[in-house]
């Protein structure tokens, strides 16, 4: 996967040492309440470690799941240095160096059988720690990943949100996605649909 960089952020691969942050992020109901059908919080560190393994195992020339790290904060330890310690803190602040997750991945189609099958469409999405809400990080990272998706040749990108998730809908609009109304096409759920075709296609 390709590392991406913006004015304030570094988008990099998830590392095993990031498990404490992943657990902190996805064990929060305010984060998980709009994720999944039905939504559920992450239960333990083992689940966080498995999630990271799944993200790192993605095999696709363009799709990826990035850790969004604030610039000017410590990089995770290398494999020889990894410990179970929590992520480094931003100097002078109580906030973690990591801010959240940015996803560019296959989106599953709705259907009667589980697991749901790929729809053939590519989804962009973001999950950010509440400490970093309201700072424009989702918009900044999302715009970078959308640009990367199109420069890598993807013909179209979609985003779906829970109808009540006004904050993510605002991010979709700010990065240039176009609202298409509601759909039940994906995830066996009623969602607000946003999409954009590659302007170079």
């Amino acid at each position: 996967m390709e590392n991406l960089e913006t004015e304030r952020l570094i988008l990099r691969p998830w590392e095993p040492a990031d498990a404490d942050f992943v657990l902190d992020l996805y064990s929060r109901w305010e984060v998980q309440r709009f994720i999944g059908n039905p939504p559920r919080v992450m239960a333990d560190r083992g689940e966080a470690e498995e999630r990271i393994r799944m993200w790192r195992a993605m095999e696709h020339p363009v799709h990826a799941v990035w850790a969004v790290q604030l610039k000017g904060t410590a990089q995770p330890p290398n494999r020889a240095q990894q410990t179970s310690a929590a992520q480094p803190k931003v100097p002078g602040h109580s906030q973690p160096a990591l801010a959240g997750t940015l996803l560019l991945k296959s989106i599953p189609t709705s259907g009667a059988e589980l697991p749901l099958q790929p729809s053939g469409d590519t989804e962009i999405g973001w999950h950010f720690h509440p400490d970093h809400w309201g700072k424009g990080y989702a918009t900044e990272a999302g715009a970078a990943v959308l640009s990367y998706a199109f420069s890598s040749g993807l013909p179209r990108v979609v985003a779906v949100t829970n109808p009540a998730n006004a904050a993510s809908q605002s991010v979709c609009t700010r990065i240039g996605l176009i609202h298409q109304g509601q759909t039940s096409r994906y995830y066996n759920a009623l969602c607000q649909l946003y999409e954009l075709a590659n302007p170079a296609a």
Side-chain angles (χ1 to χ4, degrees):
M1 65 182 291
E2 183 173 333
N3 286 10
L4 303 175
E5 190 170 326
T6 70
E7 181 180 356
R8 298 181 294 169
L9 305 170
I10 296 168
L11 281 67
R12 60 161 176 82
W14 286 99
E15 299 289 347
D18 298 326
D20 287 327
F21 176 83
V22 170
L23 176 58
D24 184 20
L25 177 64
Y26 290 105
S27 63
R28 295 171 178 266
W29 179 247
E30 64 264 45
V31 173
Q32 282 293 130
R33 63 190 175 122
F34 294 134
I35 303 172
N37 185 25
R40 57 174 292 273
V41 296
M42 185 172 283
D44 54 43
R45 197 175 192 277
E47 191 175 347
E49 292 169 348
E50 178 57 31
R51 185 78 57 89
I52 291 172
R53 283 193 290 270
M54 180 182 68
W55 288 337
R56 290 172 61 86
M58 287 181 67
E59 294 184 0
H60 190 276
V62 182
H63 292 178
V65 179
W66 290 267
V68 181
Q69 180 173 308
L70 307 182
K71 277 190 175 178
T73 62
Q75 294 284 347
N78 62 37
R79 293 184 180 180
Q81 298 170 323
Q82 285 167 3
T83 70
S84 61
Q87 280 294 318
K89 305 298 182 180
V90 179
H93 298 270
S94 61
Q95 298 155 326
L98 290 172
T101 306
L102 215 300
L103 309 96
L104 187 70
K105 66 179 189 67
S106 173
I107 184 171
T109 191
S110 294
E113 296 184 5
L114 298 178
L116 297 179
Q117 297 303 301
S119 65
D121 294 332
T122 294
E123 171 189 23
I124 188 172
W126 40 82
H127 310 141
F128 278 78
H129 194 284
D131 285 351
H132 299 291
W133 290 355
K135 300 178 180 178
Y137 293 147
T139 299
E140 188 172 327
V145 168
L146 188 62
S147 175
Y148 161 77
F150 288 151
S151 67
S152 299
L154 291 184
R156 175 172 163 270
V157 172
V158 306
V160 294
T161 78
N162 184 292
N165 192 349
S168 273
Q169 292 159 23
S170 294
V171 174
C172 290
T173 300
R174 285 196 293 270
I175 67 173
L177 301 178
I178 299 169
H179 187 218
Q180 303 294 322
Q182 292 189 331
T183 184
S184 298
R185 189 183 310 163
Y186 309 110
Y187 288 116
N188 281 347
L190 179 66
C191 302
Q192 296 288 349
L193 173 64
Y194 293 79
E195 66 177 51
L196 189 65
N198 190 332

